[in-house]
Amino acid sequence: MLEETIEPQTEQEPKARTWDAAVVGAGYVGVPLAHTLASAGRSVLLIDVSEDVVHALNRGESHIMDVPSEELGPLVEDGRIRATADYNELRNADAILIALPTPLSKQREPDLSILVDAVEQIATRLRNGHLVILESTTYPRTTREVVQPILERTGLKAGRDFHLAFSPERVDPGNETWTTQNVPKVVGGITPACTERAAQLYEGAVKTVHRVSTPEAAELTKLLENIFRSVNIALVNELAQLCERMEIDVWEVIEAAATKPFGFMSFQPGPGLGGHCIPIDPFYLTWKAREYDFYTEFIELAGKVNENMPYYCRSLISQALNHGRQRSLNGAKVLVVGVAYKADIADTRESPALKLIKLLRGAGADISYHDPFVPELREASLKSVDLDPTAYDCVVIVTAHSHIDYTDLVEKAHVIVDLRNATGPDGRRNDKVWTL
Ligand SMILES: NC(=O)c1ccc[n+]([C@@H]2O[C@H](COP(=O)([O-])OP(=O)(O)OC[C@H]3O[C@@H](n4cnc5c(N)ncnc54)[C@H](O)[C@@H]3O)[C@@H](O)[C@H]2O)c1
């Protein structure tokens, strides 16, 4: 079988240094990936268009919280990690791992322009024996229908001259228990030999490698995981709204249901979805499904419920102000506590706080925010202020960072809207605390 005959290229380039892997995109995914591979003894080149990111990484300074500079520094010093903005250096790497953003367009359709541009750059440096792995989240068939044809324009053929696979990144920023190193890696290649070569790159660096038969299976695996979260979050968000009408404490119900040792997994309601994954990835599948005359109704319905949450929260805040302060949103001083998209991280991408701030401002509220992880919120032209709840008509807890004293907050604030159950059962029993 031709595909079994591929040998990684061993051609000597006397002056150029060679790398076991190059990771294209030094962000939330790329840096932990490079760190994991380098910690297992691989040499890794990080490629990023941002010169600032490149220079900082080469000084051993990490901009990604999950990889502290104290851990990155020694790897850079030992020469096991280096960063560059020069795609030409890809020629000196055995494997090329792509960890680039895959956003949605304004019309909520997949925007693969960053990926396509980068793959075109990679193609001009592709050589016999290269291994190319796509790690970015995307719809099934991207590897085969988008990446492979661009790479094959070179005359080289996937599975014969170079290896090509998809392996989804499953990193959960801020999660200290589950890291790139110990979350199993799913790998699916264009051919069995592609799967095997990709699996071998990860083996020894990550704890478990799970092989699937095709890149499509690997692509859809990642989407299933995120759709599962989106749908279940929508379910409890809907239930939270019903519970408000029925005067049932939704948090108490979820806590009670979670005592069942099997068949139930607990999800929490909240002000909306955030981050680079859950609000975006499911719509990659919705878009692709249409090509097959198929409508992914669970995804659309979950999107509808989750996207309505900031509006629902605005009306909750308005009610809390009416009852607790006898005033309207218009002109009220509101302090938003926590603007990152989830607790204990600094990432504000797609954060529900952004939408909520916009809606509250639209209703005439005067907004300030406090977030120990986010000193400045450029999207809202705001800077984090000190936590002085007495100075505001209403305090809204949007993200429940762990180092905030919520008991003190409840004591001092005039009115609190707690969208995360940060104040717990005591808060829920307190008349000045409004919860979902
Ligand atoms: N962040 C997460 O929690 C997470 C988790 C799992 C999967 N993913 C997926 O991983 C992929 C990457 O996401 P991320 O969060 O790491 O993105 P990111 O925005 O943190 O990082 C991307 C990096 O790529 C760089 N870049 C942009 N264009 C480039 C180009 N043409 N060449 C080289 N570098 C370029 C940017 O400067 C940036 O540093 C996405 O598909 C995302 O959906 C993200």
Side-chain angles (χ1 to χ4, degrees), residues 120 167 178 234 352 373 377 402 429:
E120 279 167 357
S167 178
W178 294 108
F373 291 87
L377 191 61
S402 47
R429 277 191 290 270

Side-chain angles (χ1 to χ4, degrees), residues 97-112:
L97 280 57
I98 305 170
L100 290 168
T102 44
L104 285 177
S105 70
K106 275 191 183 143
Q107 291 73 34
R108 304 195 74 71
E109 292 187 345
D111 176 2
L112 293 183

Side-chain angles (χ1 to χ4, degrees), residues 158-211:
R160 187 190 69 193
D161 306 312
F162 67 94
H163 288 116
L164 178 61
F166 183 84
S167 178
E169 182 48 60
R170 299 159 120 181
V171 70
D172 179 20
N175 189 331
E176 287 174 12
T177 311
W178 294 108
T179 62
T180 303
Q181 198 268 326
N182 64 5
V183 173
K185 200 95 180 79
V186 172
V187 178
I190 292 284
T191 65
C194 292
T195 307
E196 210 37 51
R197 172 120 181 258
Q200 279 165 15
L201 175 75
Y202 298 119
E203 262 159 358
V206 304
K207 212 167 160 196
T208 318
V209 175
H210 181 89
R211 293 157 172 84

Side-chain angles (χ1 to χ4, degrees), residues 24-30 47-50 87 99-102 114 118 136-137 169 171 173 222 276-277 281 349:
V24 182
Y28 286 88
V29 166
I47 299 203
D48 203 284
V49 282
S50 162
Y87 268 77
L100 290 168
T102 44
I114 296 174
S136 302
T137 309
E169 182 48 60
V171 70
K222 171 73 189 180
H276 191 311
C277 297
D281 304 344
R349 289 180 297 176

Side-chain angles (χ1 to χ4, degrees), residues 8 11 57 60 88 114 124 130 181 192 206 259 261 265 268 277 290 295 332 346 368 378 383 387 436:
E11 150 193 330
L57 289 169
N88 285 327
I114 296 174
T124 63
H130 253 146
Q181 198 268 326
V206 304
T259 60
M265 189 182 276
Q268 273 82 45
C277 297
R290 275 189 231 126
Y295 293 84
S368 304
R378 288 211 190 110
K383 285 193 173 161
L387 190 54
L436 272 178

Side-chain angles (χ1 to χ4, degrees), residues 252-364:
E252 189 184 4
V253 173
I254 294 169
E255 274 161 26
T259 60
K260 188 179 180 187
F262 54 91
F264 180 79
M265 189 182 276
S266 144
F267 286 84
Q268 273 82 45
L273 300 178
H276 191 311
C277 297
I278 318 288
I280 293 170
D281 304 344
F283 295 101
Y284 265 67
L285 189 61
T286 299
W287 178 84
K288 189 65 178 172
R290 275 189 231 126
E291 196 180 309
Y292 295 81
D293 301 330
F294 198 95
Y295 293 84
T296 53
E297 295 185 39
F298 272 98
I299 297 174
E300 295 284 8
L301 181 59
K304 197 170 140 191
V305 173
N306 291 330
E307 279 163 26
N308 186 51
M309 285 312 285
Y311 296 88
Y312 177 74
C313 294
R314 177 182 60 180
S315 79
L316 199 65
I317 296 164
S318 166
Q319 277 182 61
L321 276 164
N322 280 342
H323 289 270
R325 287 292 267 177
Q326 290 80 44
R327 66 173 308 165
S328 71
L329 257 176
N330 196 355
K333 288 187 77 179
V334 176
L335 178 69
V336 170
V337 174
V339 293
Y341 83 83
K342 67 174 186 172
D344 299 335
I345 64 162
D347 193 349
T348 58
R349 289 180 297 176
E350 307 282 325
S351 173
L354 299 172
K355 182 82 183 190
L356 194 57
I357 288 173
K358 197 172 161 206
L359 293 176
L360 294 173
R361 277 180 166 166

